[in-house]
Amino acid sequence: MLGSLEVRSGGEPVPVSGALQRRVLVTLLLEAGRVVPVSRLVAVGWNEEPPDSAEHQVRKVVAKLRSRIPCGPHFIVTDGPGYRADVDTDQLDLLRHQQLLGQARAALEAGEPERAAARFREALALWRGPVLSGDGGRVIDAASAALEEQRLTAAEQLYDLCIAAGAAAEVTGELRALVEEHPLRETLRRRLMLALYRSGHQAAALAEFARARKHLADELGIDPGVELTELHERILRQDRSLIHHPARPPSPAPAEPPEVPYALPFDVRDFSGRDAELQWVRDAAGRALPRVPTVLALDGMGGSGKTALAVRAAHRLAEQYPDGSLFIDLHGFTPGKTPLSAFDAQGDLLAAAGVPSDEISTVPAGRAARWQSYIRGRRMLLLLDNAAASEQVRGLIPASSDSLVLITSRPRLTGLDGAEWLSVGALSESDSHQILLRTLGSERVRNEPDAARELLHLCGGLPLAVRIAAARLANRPHWTIRRLAEKLRDHNRRLDELTSEGRGVAGALLLSYQSMPDDQRTAFLLLGHHPGRYLDTEEAAALLDTDALTAEGVLEELVDVRLLEARESGVYALHDLVRSFVHRVARGERTWETGRALRRLLDHYVHMAERAGDTLFPGRRSMGEGDEAGGAHTEFDHKDKALHWLDQHRDGMLAAVDAAYDEGLLWHAARLPRELGFHSSVRAYDASANAALEKGLSAARRLGDLSLTRLNLTNLAMGKWRLGQLSDAIARLEEAVELSRQMADEHSEAACQARLGQAYNSMGELERALQLNQEVNRRAKELGLTRLGGSSLSMLSLIQVRLGRFDEAAESAEQALSVFDSIQEVQLSVDALSNLSQAMEGLGRLEEALARADAALERCERISMPSVLPLVLARRADVLTRMGELKEAAHSADQALMKAARGTGDIHRAGVHLTVGRVRYAQGELELARAQQLLAHELACRMELRYDEACALWGLARTAETWGQLELARKHRSAADDLFSLMNVPETAR
């Protein structure tokens, strides 16, 4: 609840709809464990002037919440005059946030600043924004403001600790972002100035004071406070007391202390991020057992910043190891060098420790004994960098010592008993951004924010890539960031551009590739031909021509050598730069097996996608896989699993269409887009799905396959219809109808005519749409096409609503809903329920209309249909407006507008603006109503949505009339009447 309200059970979202439900639930959670009287819940729900039925409505809402949330009666408990939320700390982010803040302050009091800082960070990481995202009303907003103040106070305490610990440079970016959010908070600005000054940026610190002074003068007409002004003056005179003096350990008692080795490499000045990883090392080192070495191994792909991380951790921990710190590069993956043996490494470490050469044995057993004798009883820090295998480092680990051994390697060294491992992944975007800022300066990055984001995205969070890119730009001040980003867009050139002074991503990856055995290299190349970024074990099995269990073993081996990333169970990913590398290598090693592997993968996609589509869209016409798509007959036993599979493989299938087309596998290129089109009707990614359908259409034409040509024409037409490109959609549908007649395919002809009717309805040709759908319904019954019969009835109901035939519309929608429920078709049932709600509203049965709209919303959210959700929310808002429930109507309308703005489809957007306009009109907000009506009119005219155009004009006339602009109202109403008359829409339906 620290931000937008999210309820989850077992990882799955639990929908909590309606403003009153959310406010009641949040109020109970704000007072978790305490009784909240019903009167307070009423005040929260309505702010002022609650209706007489307010207490009854609150009790109904509590009952709904109890039924919706798993174990609801145990979670919301009736207690005396009100209710109490019974939750544990780990169930609610607010309680966890407050617990962590308490632990942080307790650590401060105990004199443990590092632990305090870690707890503050954990607490602040839970913050996602104001409670209910600022939409909670007066009472909740007041509580949210108090929590925001608590958060800012904690942040200031954290930054005080970081600055005091000498980490000022690491927090300047975070401080600057927080100051941007709260520019009038002088206590934050003061900490930013101090952090900048201690980081060596005196001019930047003074510039911050100038910005604060200007902002305070412009906004409040006041000068900065005493503390900020005093700090400014101290910076100007370079007050030495502002300089950080790190605490030094007390000098040892002996007059001539023994010299201890300190051989760590220099710490990277612009090191950024990795707070969680550094904390992991600190925590693991803190769990050390007496006389037992602590062995920590950091693994990750080449260029992931393992060494920089280990060096930073070693410098921070070195003071805890009074007998010295040693470093050695084991050259496990160093170009032109052979990995060091344990024998050579022992000799180098003894020499670095100051042991005379004549005391270092030339016999392996003697040298190993000398090394163990030297380190026995000492408390040292050993950094063993760039290891290739466990055997390399096993002989270097102390047998009996309180030492800390930090190891870095590309593969995970699973042969080291007792070691703790941590895989070092990609940097976050904010941490990568800090590297860019420190290398190029804030002004240069700030001048090209979009290009900087793209550059970092193309570097994929790989520290080596980010540093090389930043260094190239720093050495070429005449280059823009955009210029380098444009160079990196080319996959064939990206690795070349990420090379500098013999150091590059390609070289780092090549060493890992060359170190693999031949069979592993072959598997890596075949898997690299997967067209998407993510692949699962079944896709890998298709590429490798094996079973899923064997494929999983191969994938895990590639994870071990860090050329593949493990995601969720059974899912793996190639880093974008690894993909560029494997494609480059594959071009030089292409064999006949490559083409066969791609064909097997495409067969797998066609087979699985059709099974998923058949499960998700029951009753649709089966295409049959033909000879091209073999494989076991996998079935999905639940719609959710089918939808999850399509969600998970969408990007891979989109890329597979391109790969199939480019490789001349035309049947696959023509067949696969059908499933993408069906899936897009639920998930609304029509622009990319249409691009695949265009390629599928081209492939089908090249094959001369009329059936696949008709199929792609139809699905492409519906994708264009959802984007509001109606003329294009109708042209393709008419061609599809003609092809169906040439093939004497009555089923296809009827299906295409149904979609033509849908498009004509959108264009306002209602009588023509009515006749087409009546004919389609008749033919569907004759041919036994259940799903098509249901969809034609659903479309008939919408057309009948627009023509004012509300009784007929209700009957058609009820019949359609019965058909869809009988075949468990959820997607189309949402449309039928929405149409039934409109019919009920037309008949004046508003409670039933709202119930049908709520049912449509529940189904829409259950299957997550972003393409239809805005219209369903708008439908609900329209009914609530008719019922006079304007607050809830406004909330539903605002949600519809927000969802429509985030979506990619345009066909429903004008209708959403019309609904918002009606709600604003009912609220008396005429200016806002007119703005929404004008937007709806512009969209409807651009897309030839004649019915929506007439409704927009009708709304504009009513608004103008209320405003007293009678001539303008007459003009709009006359234009609307002409359009409605042209469409035969009666007065009762306008």
Side-chain angles (χ1 to χ4, degrees):
M1 57 177 286
L2 295 177
S4 58
L5 179 66
E6 294 180 9
V7 182
R8 293 184 176 275
S9 174
E12 296 298 319
V14 177
V16 178
S17 58
L20 186 57
Q21 285 190 42
R22 286 191 295 276
R23 289 183 179 183
V24 167
L25 179 56
V26 163
T27 304
L28 292 172
L29 293 174
L30 281 167
E31 302 286 340
R34 293 189 289 271
V35 177
V36 181
V38 173
S39 58
R40 179 168 172 78
L41 295 175
V42 168
V44 168
W46 283 273
N47 289 330
E48 298 176 0
E49 298 183 359
D52 293 337
S53 62
E55 289 195 6
H56 175 67
Q57 290 192 49
V58 165
R59 297 186 192 281
K60 277 183 64 178
V61 161
V62 170
K64 283 184 181 178
L65 289 171
R66 283 172 166 168
S67 64
R68 180 160 291 180
I69 299 173
C71 301
H74 300 289
F75 168 66
I76 302 176
V77 181
T78 303
D79 196 338
Y83 302 95
R84 171 172 47 84
D86 189 4
V87 290
D88 296 328
T89 302
D90 60 352
Q91 291 178 296
L92 181 62
D93 57 355
L94 174 60
L95 293 182
R96 177 63 177 153
H97 175 77
Q98 292 172 334
Q99 180 191 56
L100 288 166
L101 290 180
Q103 291 174 355
R105 287 167 186 139
L108 273 180
E109 292 175 3
E112 300 174 0
E114 287 190 2
R115 188 163 72 88
R119 296 299 174 268
F120 275 130
R121 278 215 177 274
E122 285 184 67
L124 293 170
L126 295 171
W127 185 270
R128 295 177 292 112
V131 177
L132 276 184
S133 299
D135 192 29
R138 176 172 50 80
V139 178
I140 291 177
D141 286 350
S144 180
L147 289 172
E148 172 71 0
E149 180 60 32
Q150 184 184 78
R151 169 217 177 196
L152 292 174
T153 301
E156 288 172 344
Q157 290 180 284
L158 169 64
Y159 296 132
D160 284 343
L161 290 170
C162 293
I163 293 169
E170 297 176 24
V171 298
T172 53
E174 298 173 32
L175 264 169
R176 194 183 295 281
L178 209 52
V179 166
E180 290 295 326
E181 287 180 40
H182 305 276
L184 299 176
R185 192 177 179 96
E186 293 187 45
T187 50
L188 274 175
R189 187 86 64 170
R190 180 161 52 82
R191 286 168 172 84
L192 174 57
M193 288 172 61
L194 181 59
L196 287 168
Y197 184 74
R198 287 195 175 177
S199 303
H201 301 296
Q202 178 183 355
L206 295 172
E208 278 302 320
F209 179 82
R211 274 192 284 272
R213 181 167 53 193
K214 183 177 185 304
H215 207 87
L216 288 166
D218 291 345
E219 295 292 325
L220 303 176
I222 61 174
D223 291 324
V226 174
E227 291 186 349
L228 200 62
T229 304
E230 180 185 342
L231 177 59
H232 176 244
E233 292 171 355
R234 292 173 68 193
I235 291 174
L236 281 172
R237 66 173 184 266
Q238 297 185 350
D239 189 339
R240 294 184 62 81
S241 65
L242 292 177
I243 300 173
H244 173 65
H245 298 287
R248 298 179 181 276
S251 300
E256 295 183 0
E259 184 177 351
V260 297
Y262 192 86
L264 295 177
F266 70 91
D267 194 3
V268 178
R269 182 175 178 274
D270 61 350
F271 183 90
S272 182
R274 302 297 192 196
D275 293 333
E277 291 88 343
L278 288 168
Q279 187 62 46
W280 179 86
V281 174
R282 281 196 293 267
D283 291 346
R287 296 192 297 268
L289 298 174
R291 296 179 298 281
V292 177
T294 301
V295 182
L296 307 179
L298 308 176
D299 57 76
M301 67 179 284
S304 61
K306 303 178 296 295
T307 299
L309 170 62
V311 170
R312 170 58 62 97
H315 278 288
R316 289 190 172 183
L317 293 170
E319 292 182 354
Q320 300 178 26
Y321 297 89
D323 295 321
S325 304
L326 295 175
F327 168 87
I328 188 169
D329 184 351
L330 297 171
H331 298 306
F333 297 89
T334 303
K337 293 200 174 183
T338 303
L340 286 182
S341 64
F343 173 78
D344 290 331
Q346 289 162 352
D348 289 350
L349 286 169
L350 286 167
V355 176
S357 58
D358 58 356
E359 295 183 18
I360 301 175
S361 174
T362 58
V363 178
R367 185 172 294 187
R370 183 68 181 92
W371 165 246
Q372 292 294 343
S373 298
Y374 170 79
I375 203 167
R376 178 182 174 83
R378 283 184 165 89
R379 183 174 171 81
M380 298 187 72
L381 190 154
L382 304 179
L383 178 44
L384 312 179
D385 184 44
N386 197 9
S390 299
E391 292 74 17
Q392 231 184 335
V393 297
R394 191 177 288 115
L396 307 179
I397 296 173
S400 177
S401 170
D402 292 335
S403 295
L404 171 65
V405 184
L406 281 177
I407 305 168
T408 73
S409 63
R410 293 193 187 182
R412 173 162 285 189
L413 305 183
T414 55
L416 290 179
D417 295 333
E420 294 186 60
W421 298 286
L422 177 68
S423 293
V424 180
L427 275 177
S428 68
E429 184 177 338
S430 60
D431 291 339
S432 299
H433 194 257
Q434 285 300 312
I435 295 176
L436 210 59
L437 281 172
R438 291 172 185 169
T439 307
L440 303 182
S442 59
E443 182 177 356
R444 192 172 174 188
V445 176
R446 197 161 37 236
N447 288 339
E448 297 185 83
D450 294 337
R453 277 192 293 272
E454 183 184 7
L455 179 73
L456 296 176
H457 173 73
L458 291 168
C459 290
L462 195 67
L464 176 61
V466 176
R467 292 185 187 281
I468 290 174
R472 294 197 69 193
L473 288 168
N475 291 331
R476 292 168 176 78
H478 57 285
W479 275 21
T480 62
I481 298 177
R482 182 160 303 284
R483 180 177 179 185
L484 182 55
E486 288 170 350
K487 288 173 172 285
L488 294 181
R489 283 181 204 155
D490 185 347
H491 282 280
N492 296 325
R493 289 184 50 82
R494 187 177 301 174
L495 294 176
D496 295 327
E497 297 296 338
L498 292 175
T499 301
S500 178
E501 296 185 351
R503 183 181 69 149
V505 176
L509 295 173
L510 183 61
L511 289 166
S512 294
Y513 175 72
Q514 291 174 337
S515 70
M516 294 190 295
D518 290 344
D519 59 341
Q520 200 174 44
R521 282 204 298 267
T522 300
F524 178 58
L525 290 177
L526 289 177
L527 293 171
H529 283 87
H530 185 279
R533 175 161 185 202
Y534 300 99
L535 72 158
D536 60 24
T537 53
E538 292 184 346
E539 292 169 285
L543 284 165
L544 300 175
D545 197 17
T546 186
D547 59 88
L549 192 61
T550 303
E552 184 177 21
V554 174
L555 293 167
E556 287 296 331
E557 288 175 357
L558 291 171
V559 170
D560 288 340
V561 297
R562 293 300 173 258
L563 285 173
L564 205 61
E565 302 170 18
R567 296 287 175 166
E568 59 187 271
S569 177
V571 179
Y572 302 81
L574 278 172
H575 190 283
D576 285 343
L577 295 176
V578 176
R579 181 177 305 286
S580 296
F581 169 77
V582 72
H583 285 172
R584 170 182 288 189
V585 176
R587 282 198 299 271
E589 301 186 23
R590 189 176 179 86
T591 66
W592 62 273
E593 177 58 22
T594 301
R596 293 185 59 182
L598 181 59
R599 180 185 287 269
R600 289 193 299 268
L601 178 64
L602 293 169
D603 287 346
H604 170 74
Y605 273 151
V606 170
H607 168 77
M608 292 295 292
E610 181 164 0
R611 297 285 79 74
D614 288 345
T615 303
L616 197 59
F617 306 100
R620 72 173 188 167
R621 189 179 188 184
S622 175
M623 293 300 298
E625 295 178 331
D627 297 331
E628 300 282 350
H633 291 285
T634 305
E635 301 292 342
F636 293 92
D637 58 6
H638 197 278
K639 289 179 183 292
D640 289 345
K641 291 182 180 178
L643 184 57
H644 177 72
W645 191 94
L646 289 168
D647 288 342
Q648 193 175 52
H649 295 83
R650 175 184 74 185
D651 292 339
M653 289 194 294
L654 285 167
V657 173
D658 291 336
Y661 192 86
D662 293 342
E663 293 294 327
L665 298 172
L666 298 180
W667 184 87
H668 298 86
R671 178 63 188 78
L672 194 54
R674 180 215 191 196
E675 311 309 333
L676 290 163
F678 267 87
H679 184 230
S680 178
S681 70
V682 177
R683 289 298 194 235
Y685 57 96
D686 294 295
S688 51
N690 286 358
L693 285 160
E694 293 276 14
K695 265 202 176 148
L697 179 58
S698 175
R701 292 192 198 279
R702 286 173 60 186
L703 284 170
D705 189 316
L706 297 183
S707 179
L708 285 176
T709 301
R710 194 276 314 162
L711 174 74
N712 283 296
L713 276 168
T714 306
N715 289 326
L716 179 59
M718 297 318 295
K720 287 184 173 291
W721 172 81
R722 284 189 292 274
L723 293 177
Q725 300 166 7
L726 300 185
S727 296
D728 284 351
I730 286 174
R732 282 164 174 77
L733 285 169
E734 287 175 343
E735 184 181 353
V737 169
E738 183 56 34
L739 282 175
S740 300
R741 288 170 180 161
Q742 289 180 30
M743 295 184 292
D745 186 342
E746 290 187 80
H747 183 163
S748 295
E749 183 181 352
C752 293
Q753 286 179 326
R755 288 163 175 80
L756 263 177
Q758 187 173 348
Y760 284 132
N761 171 67
S762 296
M763 292 188 78
E765 296 190 29
L766 302 184
E767 294 293 346
R768 188 173 184 181
L770 185 71
Q771 292 170 7
L772 272 170
N773 276 280
Q774 286 172 337
E775 174 63 17
V776 168
N777 186 251
R778 183 188 63 78
R779 295 181 69 182
K781 289 178 180 177
E782 291 176 355
L783 297 170
L785 306 176
T786 306
R787 189 173 190 271
L788 182 60
S791 62
S792 63
L793 282 166
S794 181
M795 182 51 58
L796 271 174
S797 69
L798 177 59
I799 301 166
Q800 287 160 344
V801 163
R802 291 183 168 184
L803 291 172
R805 305 176 188 177
F806 299 119
D807 285 316
E808 295 176 40
E811 184 180 353
S812 297
E814 292 278 16
Q815 290 177 8
L817 192 60
S818 176
V819 169
F820 296 143
D821 287 346
S822 71
I823 62 172
Q824 297 182 314
E825 166 58 75
V826 179
Q827 183 195 15
L828 294 179
S829 73
V830 172
D831 293 331
L833 281 165
S834 294
N835 298 340
L836 183 55
S837 173
Q838 289 191 66
M840 292 298 181
E841 183 183 348
L843 293 169
R845 293 151 62 178
L846 299 183
E847 291 289 349
E848 293 178 69
L850 182 60
R852 300 305 186 278
D854 284 341
L857 180 60
E858 187 276 327
R859 293 190 185 193
C860 195
E861 289 177 335
R862 186 201 314 167
I863 200 171
S864 183
M865 295 170 58
S867 59
V868 182
L869 182 57
L871 204 61
V872 176
L873 287 165
R875 172 89 291 274
R876 189 170 182 274
D878 275 329
V879 181
L880 288 166
T881 303
R882 285 282 303 276
M883 297 173 75
E885 301 285 348
L886 297 186
K887 285 187 178 179
E888 193 169 353
H891 178 75
S892 195
D894 289 343
Q895 279 189 306
L897 196 59
M898 179 183 67
K899 299 292 185 185
R902 291 178 180 173
T904 58
D906 285 334
I907 192 67
H908 301 315
R909 196 163 293 175
V912 170
H913 286 300
L914 285 172
T915 292
V916 179
R918 284 189 283 268
V919 174
R920 296 292 178 255
Y921 179 86
Q923 290 177 312
E925 298 176 357
L926 300 184
E927 185 66 44
L928 294 175
R930 181 174 179 274
Q932 292 296 321
Q933 290 155 357
L934 286 171
L935 279 171
H937 185 260
E938 186 275 327
L939 281 167
C941 290
R942 174 162 55 84
M943 292 186 288
E944 302 178 82
L945 302 172
R946 191 179 300 162
Y947 182 82
D948 288 338
E949 180 186 353
C951 289
L953 288 166
W954 189 267
L956 284 165
R958 188 169 63 158
T959 302
E961 190 172 57
T962 305
W963 237 331
Q965 299 171 336
L966 300 183
E967 180 57 30
L968 182 62
R970 187 199 62 76
K971 178 183 175 183
H972 286 323
R973 196 175 301 281
S974 175
D977 283 339
D978 288 345
L979 285 172
F980 279 134
S981 297
L982 196 64
M983 292 182 286
N984 293 328
V985 175
E987 290 274 354
T988 54
R990 300 181 185 180

